[in-house]
């Protein structure tokens, strides 16, 4: 019920990550969080663009103040998109700089850990039950080796295998990286599907590769080992 002007004033105090999160609340907030005036200030503080934009009129050159031309001639969300594109490009540049040096013994980049930290890369498991509900399992622990990364998930709240239909492994990166804050699953993120496994009726249609009185082990390609215990 607040007037639009008041909401825009409140939004103007938010940082870029918070502004993106607020835009996910509803359609009205999304439109307000796309305001070019707010995003132009954020963009200007970060990238310090030129103070004037040159436009040609007839045979003369006229200097147009950035505040006027950049706001009225652009579609809503233009400066948000520009800010995200430049921030993403800056992160990619830093990552590529880190993975360029190679270990003379393995021939692989030896600064993978630093590169992953800079990119904000993490991994999640998404279990989908037969009713279509998703259960997101965030990464719990990482172990870095010279040639690999081991990811360990553990929880006592995983749904029963009998109701699970698929398991998906995703790589996840933040839409905008904020080095001053710890990672937060509620912030806008990009998902990249790495592998998908169909687990419906797993125990009936698959042969156990190992078993004892309490545990049965099933293997699904590529590289998924499922343990079912009583």
């Amino acid at each position: 019920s607040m007037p639009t002007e008041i909401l825009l004033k409140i939004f103007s105090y938010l940082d870029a990550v918070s502004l993106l999160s607020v835009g996910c609340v509803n359609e009205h907030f999304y439109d307000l969080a796309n305001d070019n005036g707010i995003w132009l200030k954020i963009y200007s503080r970060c990238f310090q663009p030129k103070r004037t934009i040159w436009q040609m009129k007839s045979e003369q050159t006229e200097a147009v103040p950035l505040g006027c031309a950049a706001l009225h001639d652009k579609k809503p969300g233009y400066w948000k998109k520009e800010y995200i594109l430049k921030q993403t490009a800056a992160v990619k540049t830093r990552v590529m700089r880190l993975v360029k040096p190679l270990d003379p013994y393995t021939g692989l980049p030896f600064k993978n850990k630093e590169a992953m930290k800079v990119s904000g890369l993490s991994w999640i498991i998404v279990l989908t039950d037969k009713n279509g509900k998703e259960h997101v399992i965030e990464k719990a622990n990482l172990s870095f080796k010279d040639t690999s990364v081991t990811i360990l998930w553990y929880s006592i709240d995983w749904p029963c295998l009998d109701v699970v239909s698929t398991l998906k492994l995703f790589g996840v990166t933040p839409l905008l990286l904020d080095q001053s804050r710890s990672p937060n699953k509620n912030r806008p993120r990009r998902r990249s599907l790495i592998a998908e496994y169909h687990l419906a009726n797993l125990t009936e249609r698959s042969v156990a590769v190992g078993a004892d009185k309490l545990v049965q082990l099933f293997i699904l390609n590529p590289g998924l080992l499922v343990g079912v215990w009583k």
Side-chain angles (χ1 to χ4, degrees):
S1 60
M2 275 190 181
T4 297
E5 295 78 11
I6 301 298
L7 287 172
L8 283 174
K9 183 65 176 179
I10 294 171
F11 286 6
S12 70
Y13 290 100
L14 300 179
D15 58 63
V17 175
S18 301
L19 199 56
L20 287 174
S21 298
V22 164
C24 296
V25 172
N26 55 41
E27 188 174 350
H28 180 51
F29 274 28
Y30 176 81
D31 292 336
L32 295 179
N34 271 356
D35 181 75
N36 275 331
I38 297 175
W39 281 102
L40 180 57
K41 290 179 181 178
I42 294 174
Y43 182 96
S44 301
R45 285 197 299 266
C46 186
F47 298 110
Q48 297 180 348
K50 296 179 181 179
R51 294 184 179 180
T52 58
I53 293 178
W54 296 92
Q55 290 184 346
M56 298 297 295
K57 277 192 174 182
S58 303
E59 296 178 357
Q60 298 179 348
T61 302
E62 180 183 3
V64 181
L66 183 60
C68 297
L71 291 179
H72 299 298
D73 296 343
K74 306 297 182 184
K75 294 181 179 180
Y78 173 85
W79 286 108
K80 178 180 81 170
K81 182 179 178 180
E82 288 295 305
Y83 179 82
I84 292 173
L85 287 175
K86 279 211 169 185
Q87 285 282 26
T88 302
V91 170
K92 286 183 178 179
T93 300
R94 293 200 297 270
V95 170
M96 293 306 296
R97 191 179 298 120
L98 286 169
V99 300
K100 193 173 182 180
L102 300 180
D103 187 313
Y105 299 103
T106 65
L108 299 173
F110 67 91
K111 291 187 177 180
N112 282 330
K113 185 175 182 179
E114 293 87 344
M116 289 179 188
K117 184 177 181 181
V118 166
S119 69
L121 176 63
S122 61
W123 295 267
I124 61 172
I125 286 176
V126 178
L127 300 172
T128 306
D129 62 27
K130 295 177 181 178
N131 295 322
K133 181 180 178 180
E134 287 190 348
H135 305 263
V136 179
I137 315 297
E138 297 288 329
K139 75 173 180 62
N141 200 2
L142 287 178
S143 175
F144 290 87
K145 305 295 182 184
D146 290 340
T147 58
S148 66
V149 179
T150 301
I151 314 155
L152 174 64
W153 289 271
Y154 52 88
S155 173
I156 60 172
D157 299 322
W158 290 41
C160 180
L161 184 62
D162 291 341
V163 302
V164 173
S165 59
T166 61
L167 181 151
K168 296 179 182 179
L169 173 63
F170 288 94
V172 180
T173 54
L175 187 60
L176 283 178
L177 192 64
D178 189 343
Q179 297 282 6
S180 64
R181 298 181 180 181
S182 58
N184 189 323
K185 65 181 180 180
N186 294 321
R187 293 181 191 164
R189 301 186 295 178
R190 295 187 184 90
R191 285 185 182 181
S192 177
L193 181 63
I194 298 173
E196 179 177 356
Y197 304 92
H198 297 279
L199 303 182
N201 305 317
L202 172 67
T203 55
E204 287 81 8
R205 60 184 176 85
S206 302
V207 178
V209 295
D212 60 17
K213 293 181 179 180
L214 295 179
V215 178
Q216 286 182 303
L217 294 179
F218 299 89
I219 189 166
L220 295 175
N221 291 320
L224 177 67
L225 189 65
V226 181
V228 184
W229 63 93
K230 295 182 179 180

